[in-house]
Amino acid sequence: MARSSDATLVGSLVRQAYLNRTYAFNAELEAKISAVTPEMAKAALNKYVTPENLVVVRAGTFGK
């Protein structure tokens, strides 16, 4: 997370105050995310995502 500019830091502090969170909460969340292994991510994907129910959408202007 970028914390090097005043504007970014102020925005982060305001958002955290609104959500009633602290930087300790963010540090814990970042540690949990860093601890996720590829195997854990794949197991979660298999548990919660049904490939047959996925829809792929392409939008925009595409060259001919």
Side-chain angles (χ1 to χ4, degrees):
M1 179 186 325
R3 298 182 190 107
S4 60
S5 75
D6 290 345
T8 301
L9 183 58
V10 168
S12 178
L13 289 170
V14 168
R15 185 173 42 258
Q16 289 187 56
Y18 176 77
L19 296 171
N20 197 29
R21 294 181 180 165
T22 65
Y23 272 117
F25 173 88
N26 282 9
E28 185 179 322
L29 180 60
E30 289 173 11
K32 287 178 181 179
I33 291 170
S34 293
V36 174
T37 64
E39 293 78 18
M40 293 166 70
K42 185 176 179 184
L45 185 69
N46 289 337
K47 181 176 179 179
Y48 293 106
V49 176
T50 306
E52 297 81 31
N53 294 339
L54 290 179
V55 176
V56 177
V57 177
R58 289 183 56 188
T61 304
F62 302 100
K64 295 180 181 182

